[in-house]
Amino acid sequence: MIIPKVLESRTEYAGKIVSIRRDKLTRGDGNTFIRETAVASDAVGIVAMDDRGRILLIRQYRHPMGRPVWEIPAGRMDVEGEKPEETALRELREETDTEASSIQLLTLFLNSAGWTTEKTYVYLAKGLKDVPEFKRENEEADIEKEWVPLKEAAERVKSGEIDDAKTVIGILMTDSMGRQSENK
């Protein structure tokens, strides 16, 4: 496989959350082509599961979709030097007023390899306890929380009611882990 060589690279737009980079590439055959890439920080998602086998879902307004979305707690890795698991624990506290005593990486996935650099780490968090309420702002101020049995959450994925990618991946992986342990 030929890996194209970057001949030129420039930032077309630099925003708070995303930048757009325009690259001119060649495969070494004399022809060139242009690719635009959304450069974004990585993210985390957290499947927070209690001792009763329920997971914590949140519902919040997502402007790009123009509607509220059911999802697992999540956030951007936007604190310099913070490790993914630290971001996951921080975001869980900030979005849900919940703390976890253990956290396990379920997977790392590429959000959309054809146009963005963003990757998402998905964790399973257990040993949950409530912590003092965090002051939330903007669309996070209206977050709704719901504890849902894992099997019901998986059914919501299958019906299309839950359609957020990190949430779909986290729920289905956690559900699959549960079925594997039941079959042993």
Side-chain angles (χ1 to χ4, degrees), residues 83-102:
K83 295 177 182 170
E85 59 273 13
E86 294 169 334
T87 302
L89 292 170
R90 176 178 54 79
E91 289 290 344
L92 181 62
R93 280 190 308 272
E94 289 178 4
E95 290 193 345
T96 70
D97 310 314
T98 305
E99 196 169 79
S101 64
S102 70

Side-chain angles (χ1 to χ4, degrees):
M1 173 181 288
I2 297 172
I3 305 297
K5 179 181 173 185
V6 177
L7 300 174
E8 295 174 16
S9 184
R10 72 173 186 244
T11 301
E12 295 287 325
Y13 170 80
K16 182 179 177 183
I17 295 174
V18 67
S19 295
I20 304 297
R21 188 183 70 218
R22 185 176 192 270
D23 296 331
K24 182 178 181 180
L25 303 121
T26 184
R27 297 185 70 234
D29 58 4
N31 295 318
T32 62
F33 54 101
I34 303 295
R35 291 292 178 264
E36 295 170 341
T37 302
V39 180
S41 61
D42 293 340
V44 298
I46 309 98
V47 178
M49 180 181 281
D50 69 9
D51 295 337
R52 295 170 48 192
R54 300 178 307 168
I55 64 167
L56 182 54
L57 294 177
I58 63 173
R59 184 174 183 248
Q60 66 179 319
Y61 175 76
R62 291 300 194 179
H63 186 68
M65 299 299 104
R67 64 176 171 88
V69 175
W70 282 106
E71 56 189 291
I72 57 176
R76 299 205 153 280
M77 294 179 57
D78 54 5
V79 174
E80 186 69 33
E82 193 173 60
K83 295 177 182 170
E85 59 273 13
E86 294 169 334
T87 302
L89 292 170
R90 176 178 54 79
E91 289 290 344
L92 181 62
R93 280 190 308 272
E94 289 178 4
E95 290 193 345
T96 70
D97 310 314
T98 305
E99 196 169 79
S101 64
S102 70
I103 192 164
Q104 169 191 349
L105 180 66
L106 292 174
T107 194
L108 167 67
F109 70 90
L110 307 177
N111 289 44
S112 186
W115 71 274
T116 183
T117 61
E118 185 181 18
K119 299 183 296 286
T120 298
Y121 298 79
V122 181
Y123 290 93
L124 175 62
K126 291 187 172 182
L128 307 177
K129 69 176 186 178
D130 293 334
V131 295
E133 189 172 312
F134 187 84
K135 181 172 174 16
R136 291 181 270 284
E137 300 175 333
N138 304 323
E139 57 270 284
E140 288 184 345
D142 297 319
I143 284 178
E144 299 172 21
K145 298 184 273 187
E146 182 182 6
W147 287 97
V148 178
L150 178 60
K151 298 293 182 202
E152 180 183 328
E155 288 303 317
R156 289 184 187 184
V157 167
K158 292 172 189 169
S159 74
E161 180 183 344
I162 293 176
D163 54 3
D164 171 68
K166 69 186 167 305
T167 305
V168 168
I169 291 167
I171 288 171
L172 294 182
M173 287 194 71
T174 303
D175 187 49
S176 174
M177 288 172 47
R179 284 195 314 271
Q180 288 174 359
S181 64
E182 289 172 3
N183 293 334
K184 288 184 179 183

